Amino acid sequence: DAGVIQSPRHEVTEMGQEVTLRCKPISGHNSLFWYRQTMMRGLELLIYFNNNVPIDDSGMPEDRFSAKMPNASFSTLKIQPSEPRDSAVYFCASQGPLASDTEAFFGQGTRLTVV
Amino acid sequence: QKEVEQNSGPLSVPEGAIASLNCTYSDRGSQSFFWYRQYSGKSPELIMSIYSNGDKEDGRFTAQLNKASQYVSLLIRDSQPSDSATYLCAALDTGGFKTIFGAGTRLFVKA
């Protein structure tokens, strides 16, 4: 397996524009997580899905953020409209079905810069 | 709110010394714990997992878990400059779905 695949790796956009980040989890994993990492706040969990269903979105900072998982092999995180304070590295991670004996595998991340 | 707390560091140790990283967690129902290493500009990668009280050794790494004290630690023996990174402690919450991460401890190993 190629691991968790995120795209794009880097994104530079202007304030007010819509940004869509994409993630393909590891095949067979049934939990998917979106994290945001900044120097100030560390690694923050934004939302996670189990079996394609959003379980906990309490980490989503504002209504400008939305996430979808239309099937087991694809998820998106959308920011509309984007703001400079959204600049961060966004990680997607997936986890296998054995909840008591598994760990999260991370994608390479998307570095988002909003100018 | 369930939390994992770590000292942010930086922790600086000389090459060849033992580096000791610690964290505490708030969710008493957590049963699975992990240490991830993150190099600058890279994604976190798992280096150790521990599920039972006591020590677990893997090469130069030893993870220690004390559920009564809600305490997890990572010892790195014979530290190398290549060990310089941020180490993230994580706990799987009671429901078993969500991994909660600490803010990470930055480790510098001086040659």
Side-chain angles (χ1 to χ4, degrees):
Chain A
D1 201 309
V4 177
I5 300 174
Q6 290 186 246
S7 64
R9 292 292 306 277
H10 303 274
E11 176 81 29
V12 180
T13 191
E14 291 186 345
M15 182 174 63
Q17 296 299 305
E18 176 180 300
V19 175
T20 299
L21 311 181
R22 298 173 175 80
C23 175
K24 181 180 187 304
I26 292 172
S27 177
H29 282 188
N30 65 342
S31 291
L32 183 140
F33 307 83
W34 282 101
Y35 290 91
R36 176 173 68 177
Q37 188 174 41
T38 61
M39 289 292 292
M40 292 296 295
R41 300 175 67 89
L43 197 63
E44 302 175 275
L45 177 64
L46 301 178
I47 185 171
Y48 78 99
F49 295 85
N50 184 257
N51 293 325
N52 311 338
V53 176
I55 302 298
D56 183 356
D57 65 354
S58 60
M60 297 285 262
E62 301 172 35
D63 291 344
R64 299 184 296 106
F65 286 70
S66 63
K68 294 182 179 179
M69 191 166 186
N71 57 62
S73 59
F74 184 66
S75 177
T76 59
L77 177 68
K78 184 179 294 185
I79 308 172
Q80 166 63 24
S82 58
E83 298 183 4
R85 60 196 169 114
D86 301 330
S87 297
V89 180
Y90 290 80
F91 288 108
C92 175
S94 71
Q95 181 177 313
L98 299 177
S100 63
D101 187 20
T102 187
E103 73 273 4
F105 292 86
F106 284 78
Q108 292 302 303
T110 295
R111 181 173 296 278
L112 173 65
T113 303
V114 183
V115 297
Chain B
Q1 185 172 349
K2 300 170 184 176
E3 294 181 339
V4 173
E5 301 282 348
Q6 294 181 255
N7 187 322
S8 62
L11 173 66
S12 183
V13 300
E15 184 175 1
I18 296 175
S20 177
L21 307 165
N22 308 306
C23 88
T24 58
Y25 60 94
S26 63
D27 184 356
R28 284 197 169 275
S30 292
Q31 298 296 318
S32 304
F33 304 89
F34 311 97
W35 283 99
Y36 285 78
R37 178 178 60 201
Q38 186 177 24
Y39 292 115
S40 180
K42 302 296 185 182
S43 58
E45 57 176 338
L46 181 75
I47 55 172
M48 288 286 288
S49 58
I50 187 166
Y51 311 107
S52 304
N53 279 329
D55 296 358
K56 179 182 178 183
E57 187 173 319
D58 183 0
R60 296 186 295 111
F61 298 95
T62 299
Q64 299 173 318
L65 173 61
N66 184 325
K67 292 184 180 179
S69 301
Q70 296 177 243
Y71 177 85
V72 191
S73 67
L74 179 71
L75 300 178
I76 306 175
R77 290 182 300 281
D78 188 24
S79 295
Q80 302 297 308
S82 60
D83 295 325
S84 299
T86 296
Y87 289 80
L88 302 166
C89 176
L92 197 61
D93 75 347
T94 303
F97 291 123
K98 184 166 63 176
T99 304
I100 302 168
F101 284 86
T105 298
R106 293 176 65 194
L107 172 67
F108 292 104
V109 180
K110 299 175 293 185

